[in-house]
Amino acid sequence: MYKIIAINPGSTSTKLAYYEDETCIFNTDIRHNIEELKQFATIWDQFDYRLDAILRTLEARGVDPASLSAVVGRGGHTPPIPGGVYRVNEVMLEMSRTGKYGYHPCDLGPILAGALSDRYGMPAMIVDPPTTDEFSEIAKVTGLPGVRRRSAFHALNHRAVAKQYARDIGRNYPELRLIGVHMGGGISIVTHEGGRMVDGNDAMIGEGPFSANRCGTIPGWALIDMAFSGDYTRESMREKLSMHAGLSAHLGETDLIAIEKRIAGGDEHAREILDAMCYQIAKSVGAAATILCGRVDAIYMTGGMAHSRSVVSEISRRVEFIAPIVLYPGEYEMQSLAYGAYEVLTGAEPLKELTEEA
């Protein structure tokens, strides 16, 4: 029996799951006190604090770290690399520590996994990092030389749901042609073909539907005028587009349950904005279908907003002519991490190596 722990650091919590083979024994969210986090100047300074919280949780749950077969962390920032399972090595750790390719709490994932590996001797891995890039070259071309589209979406959850759907219907994932819709703080629409995620919108800034707090695609001239108005710095513009746009900017909140209550109470403006978001999601799904020449096996919806009947219904009525719709509400990231490690341990998947040339 293989014993695996999965670690997924977030802004104010660290998700921790323990699996025995493919069975989840526990999945918990270690909440960190916001006031305690304020004592740390950077996420790197939180390392000992988070590692101690992980070890205390394992001890409380009766899990001996020395008995583990593998530890798998949420992937950090690297250059664009194909998806898969990667060994945590010094090249990866240096990329995470320097923040050269990005800066996010997830960059603690490989560092924490690597530390546990050094201390207890089990292999450390990451699965489908946020920099996963399986786009074809044609998908990266834009109308402006020197500007290329990038692969930046919820890669870990998209692959997990696609593989879960394949298991559920008794098919192999590479055989399926799927369109995935992840609806959370960001929204990403991803096309799967041949076991690869061949296209998808940049879910952070400037592509696809607007989301809870991100702007999505906006007219270029208006963006230029705003950027050069003198009211914003480069950083404040990035913050506005990625953190203070979408539902947050229009309605003053991102809680979908609260927004739906407002609509039920007769708030027509809230209804219009939520419908507009669903309209943009559906339009992106339609565009994704052209990549597969209309031959789509299924459209899946996942993420927190997939719990909403009204959101799912509004999108479905526009896209159900394309393919059957299946729902996987919430996120499958911890499962994906553990399953990735299990597949390597059983020899079903190779363990890849990150190099400086990646």
Side-chain angles (χ1 to χ4, degrees):
M1 178 176 64
Y2 293 109
K3 299 179 179 181
I4 301 162
I5 60 166
I7 302 169
N8 186 352
S11 298
T12 59
S13 69
T14 302
K15 294 178 181 177
L16 179 68
Y18 170 60
Y19 279 72
E20 293 181 351
D21 291 340
E22 296 178 283
T23 301
C24 181
I25 305 304
F26 71 80
N27 187 350
T28 188
D29 204 0
I30 306 171
R31 296 286 179 180
H32 304 306
N33 185 287
I34 294 177
E35 292 303 314
E36 291 180 355
L37 290 178
K38 287 180 180 178
Q39 68 183 297
F40 304 111
T42 70
I43 58 172
W44 320 125
D45 298 329
Q46 299 173 16
F47 167 75
D48 289 326
Y49 174 83
R50 296 205 189 216
L51 181 61
D52 182 61
I54 290 168
L55 291 173
R56 282 189 282 107
T57 302
L58 291 176
E59 182 180 11
R61 296 277 188 160
V63 177
D64 178 7
S67 71
L68 296 172
S69 309
V71 54
V72 55
R74 173 75 182 271
H77 286 89
T78 68
I81 55 176
V85 186
Y86 287 81
R87 184 174 72 87
V88 173
N89 60 16
E90 190 53 42
V91 172
M92 181 185 298
L93 292 173
E94 184 64 15
M95 288 177 178
S96 289
R97 285 192 292 255
T98 61
K100 178 179 179 180
Y101 296 101
Y103 179 83
H104 186 273
C106 70
D107 288 293
L108 281 171
I111 296 174
L112 290 165
L116 289 169
S117 173
D118 289 343
R119 184 176 297 189
Y120 297 104
M122 79 291 256
M125 315 169 193
I126 67 166
V127 179
D128 289 332
T131 50
T132 293
D133 181 0
E134 298 172 345
F135 284 13
S136 64
E137 282 303 304
I138 197 171
K140 298 180 181 180
V141 176
T142 74
L144 191 62
V147 177
R148 289 168 64 80
R149 294 184 65 240
R150 66 172 189 163
S151 175
F153 51 81
H154 310 86
L156 183 61
N157 195 48
H158 272 289
R159 181 98 71 194
V161 173
K163 285 187 170 183
Q164 185 61 53
Y165 173 67
R167 283 191 289 267
D168 289 345
I169 64 171
R171 298 275 300 278
N172 293 320
Y173 165 56
E175 300 173 357
L176 298 174
R177 300 157 67 90
L178 305 172
I179 297 172
V181 181
H182 176 104
M183 301 179 289
I187 293 175
S188 54
I189 289 82
V190 170
T191 307
H192 300 255
E193 184 176 28
R196 296 169 64 86
M197 296 178 285
V198 298
D199 206 337
N201 63 297
D202 184 332
M204 180 55 71
I205 298 180
E207 261 197 345
F210 68 81
S211 69
N213 52 20
R214 299 173 192 173
C215 66
T217 300
I218 54 178
W221 282 117
L223 180 60
I224 291 169
D225 289 344
M226 182 179 291
F228 285 90
S229 66
D231 295 332
Y232 302 95
T233 64
R234 181 176 184 271
E235 287 308 311
S236 65
M237 273 295 293
R238 289 175 66 92
E239 183 175 323
K240 181 179 182 67
L241 300 181
S242 64
M243 298 176 63
H244 304 298
L247 297 179
S248 173
H250 282 291
L251 302 177
E253 60 186 326
T254 60
D255 185 336
L256 190 57
I257 294 175
I259 291 170
E260 290 180 327
K261 285 182 179 178
R262 285 169 56 174
I263 293 171
D267 188 334
E268 288 303 315
H269 177 59
R271 181 186 301 279
E272 179 184 46
I273 297 303
L274 191 60
D275 284 351
M277 185 188 74
C278 294
Y279 173 92
Q280 292 188 8
I281 294 170
K283 186 165 68 169
S284 295
V285 170
T290 66
I291 297 168
L292 300 175
C293 300
R295 299 192 296 275
V296 184
D297 292 306
I299 300 165
Y300 66 77
M301 297 190 202
T302 185
M305 289 188 187
H307 286 288
S308 168
R309 291 183 180 179
S310 62
V311 167
V312 168
S313 176
E314 182 62 20
I315 297 168
S316 297
R317 75 182 185 88
R318 294 183 183 276
V319 303
E320 59 190 358
F321 73 95
I322 297 172
I325 295 168
V326 292
L327 300 180
Y328 289 88
E331 55 86 16
Y332 289 71
E333 292 181 342
M334 303 306 286
Q335 174 183 300
S336 183
L337 291 172
Y339 281 14
Y342 177 74
E343 288 175 340
V344 166
L345 292 171
T346 58
E349 288 286 341
L351 183 61
K352 298 181 178 181
E353 196 81 15
L354 183 64
T355 65
E356 292 281 5
E357 291 74 34

